Amino acid sequence: MPELVLELNGRTWTLDASRSYALGRDPQGDIVLDDARVSWRHATIGWDGRSWIVEDHGSTNGTFVQGRRVSRTEIGPGAAVHFGNATDGPRLTASGAGAPAAAGAGASAAAVAAPQQAQQYAQPQQPYAAQGADAGRYAQAQQQQTPYPPQGHVPQQYAPGEGAGAPPVYGDRSPTTFHQLALGRVMRIGRALENELVVSDLQVSRHHAEFHATPDGRFEIRDLGSHNGTYVNGQPIAKGGTQLLGPTDIVGVGHSTFRIVGDRLEEFVDTGEVSFSARHLTVTVDGGKQILKDVSFGVPEKSLIAVIGPSGSGKSTLLKALTGYRPANQGDVLYDNRNLYKQFAELRQRIGLVPQDDILHKELTVKKALKYAAKLRFPADTTAAEREARIDEVLRELKLDIHKEKKVTSLSGGQRKRVSVALELLTKPSLIFLDEPTSGLDPGMDRDVMQLLRGLADDGRTVLVVTHSVAELAICDKLLVMAPGGSVAYFGPPEEALNFFGYETWADVFSAFENYRDYDWAGRWKGSQHYQMYAADIDAVAPQSAPVAPPQAIRPPKPQGWGSQLMTLIRRYVSVIASDKGFLALTVILPAVLGAVSLLIDPDRGLLVNPPNPKTGISTPNGTATTVLLILAVGACFAGAANSVRELIKERVIYERERATGLSRSAYLMSKVIVLGTITVLQGLMVGAIGFSSREIPEEGLVLGNAVLLELSLPIMALGFTSMMFGLIISSLVKTAEKTMPLLVMFAIIQVVFTGCLFILHGTAGVNEFSYLMPSRWAVAAAGTTLDFNRINPNTDDPASTDPLWDHEASAWGIDMAALLALGALCGFFVARFLRRHEPEVMRK
């Protein structure tokens, strides 16, 4: 078996093919590289039976051959390998007769590694629609894209501050492809095959953006009205806007990133090979209490990371900090050396989050739930066939295709979690975070879910899961253990964790956390050899130094226009309601019962007018009118508020996730208002029709003439609508659905008191003014103007004192109705403001 001779700084090692050799900062390693940029256990070199192989072990700063970051590649005599940095990292050179015969003596490392590199930098996948006749046009478009690197080409390397000054994109990886830019020529980017640069990504619009040269020889990027936006250094440019590009600027379009180096456009495609790290994350709440303390760790690409810890250790806070939902007060989260907080608008499209609660409507079938999600997340110019193809692809990948026509509610807990994961996979995220995905599942389903996550990582994604289950930790690549108080107690391989703590079971470890809460677990970790091996080098390299423009007064673009989102949300909401037979039955039965109850009030008399006494000829107060109107008003209040009081709280997790992916807050709220408003108004019409039609009412109204029944019903309908808006306020404020019922009852009782039917409100200082905030006050007043309440229900204590809201005039009816609807609009404003509290905090800023 051949030998290989390695040389570094005058030292040589002769390698024996019968064993492998460990390289890194570990003094116990075979080849010690004393450099802060080199990981503790950085790589190994060994003979695989055919050639010598250098294999990187998930190092933070990488292993490089000819300037390219590699994970595993062949080396032979004449090869040079850099560790920790592509240009000035420790450089090992190889010599001797260790190369395979095919390479030949003195063959270069580039020639030996060519087959593997050719695989690594293959062409992007063909777009979904490139079939049949389109395939020829796609091939023609692809002729303008050259695989990187071309035959015999060695990319020029720039040291920091030299040459083109282009910052590293995706760490130090080489471009996936490159394209030549020419003065006077426009290079258009998009999904359609007629573009000069075809990007096979459903996040990209058909005609997304274009590069073109300025008269002075510089280049600029112009957005073509894209749906998901065009980004420069992580910041969105205005839809249809243009921005001049400098030598250090990077342009983001979907999952691709571009930079201009000279007259060449380099493209980097995010295929999941991304690093992710947290550096010194600290979260402080009101009062100065720290719930997350100096948390740092690095996640290698395409790995599965588990986060465990006792209650109160900050796991949920850490997840929110890592995803941008609640940015840390101090520290950075780096997505392949890009600051997530500063570039959230762009990077949010590449991050998937599966909360503990399901992020889908359980009343829908699996395929229909995914169809609406795809409609909201993909650009408006995505065809139905493209969306269907992506949905079917995800369903097959997660083995859900046999369940696609089943309702989500009929699936097992593990299958529902798969559907939630499928929803996130639609947009092909590189990072997936999961919060307690195995909570409430039996051990068998627990194992199935964890094996699913293992498969997702093996397929080219980085997966981080927060879990209480410790049964399947062995299949994870790394384990992060959080200590009470929000600090790191351990980070490293899961198989070494129990030995690190000195216990035999995780129950013992968690008991120790509880019994010794004041112990410095973080200090013990940082003083350990494990810290030096797996975490000490997390700060060895600085974040990407590309300038980040200050936040602009431009909102992140949405994948769909406002009207398109609204129509999709309305259709989805109608589908959800239509599939709930119980709710549909209740919407009909409730107003019918409430209207029928009013018929029990003085059924023999049944008058809502005030005729004179036949014996005396004098009109007497008509208590029936006020009692009937009280019953009808309370029924409309209760029905309207009951329709909406649970709607926002039950969908809160869904809203939070969809809002982070570009959902319009106002479109979401308006979809609720339109659908629930229509249902509530029809219920009010039913209540009014039942309550008024069987009684004697005035022959002519104030506003609608002979349509007196409709004039009396309109206040009841408007009252139901405004009460529905009050119900949305309650639903946006409460933290759990259980709290909505007591508040609903309280709301209904308050409306009874302030109708003006139980006691005279006009003239009661303070109470009368407060009643103006109650919708029932204005609704009863509007109906009272038509019935002339000041005459049929006068103030017996002071007959001269009349309520101006009850004046028998058309203007009074109009003012009462306008005030009632204005209350509803005011409620809508407050609901929109309260919904902001349930959005990612980084978006609110």
Side-chain angles (χ1 to χ4, degrees), residues 553-571:
I554 301 175
R555 296 184 179 181
K558 299 175 176 61
Q560 303 280 330
W562 189 88
S564 178
Q565 282 196 2
L566 176 63
M567 293 308 299
T568 300
L569 291 167
I570 289 176
R571 286 196 295 268

Side-chain angles (χ1 to χ4, degrees), residues 295-362:
V295 174
S296 296
F297 63 95
V299 178
E301 59 192 41
K302 297 184 179 180
S303 60
L304 174 59
I305 313 299
V307 180
I308 65 172
S311 299
S313 59
K315 299 188 300 297
S316 296
T317 302
L318 175 62
L319 190 63
K320 292 179 180 179
L322 294 176
T323 55
Y325 273 57
R326 199 290 188 195
N329 301 95
Q330 300 176 22
D332 295 313
V333 176
L334 303 180
Y335 179 103
D336 242 17
N337 267 11
R338 301 179 65 184
N339 192 302
L340 175 64
Y341 297 159
K342 294 180 180 179
Q343 304 186 29
F344 182 79
E346 177 186 355
L347 296 180
R348 66 177 180 172
Q349 303 176 31
R350 308 182 190 181
I351 296 176
L353 173 62
V354 181
Q356 183 173 349
D357 298 323
D358 294 327
I359 50 176
L360 34 84
H361 293 87
K362 299 178 182 179

Side-chain angles (χ1 to χ4, degrees), residues 151-231:
Q151 183 78 22
H153 175 75
V154 178
Q156 182 178 356
Q157 298 298 317
Y158 296 105
E162 298 178 356
V169 181
Y170 297 122
D172 290 314
R173 270 191 283 281
S174 296
T176 308
T177 59
F178 79 96
H179 318 269
Q180 289 299 126
L181 291 172
L183 293 177
R185 178 188 170 200
V186 174
M187 179 170 285
R188 190 173 51 181
I189 307 171
R191 208 174 68 251
L193 298 176
E194 61 265 22
N195 291 288
E196 287 77 16
L197 203 164
V198 179
V199 178
S200 56
D201 181 358
L202 289 184
Q203 293 285 78
V204 177
S205 299
R206 297 186 64 81
H207 301 97
H208 196 104
E210 63 184 19
F211 289 96
H212 59 91
T214 61
D216 59 0
R218 303 171 67 183
F219 289 92
E220 60 184 10
I221 182 71
R222 174 180 297 159
D223 183 84
L224 299 178
S226 64
H227 298 278
N228 277 324
T230 305
Y231 300 83

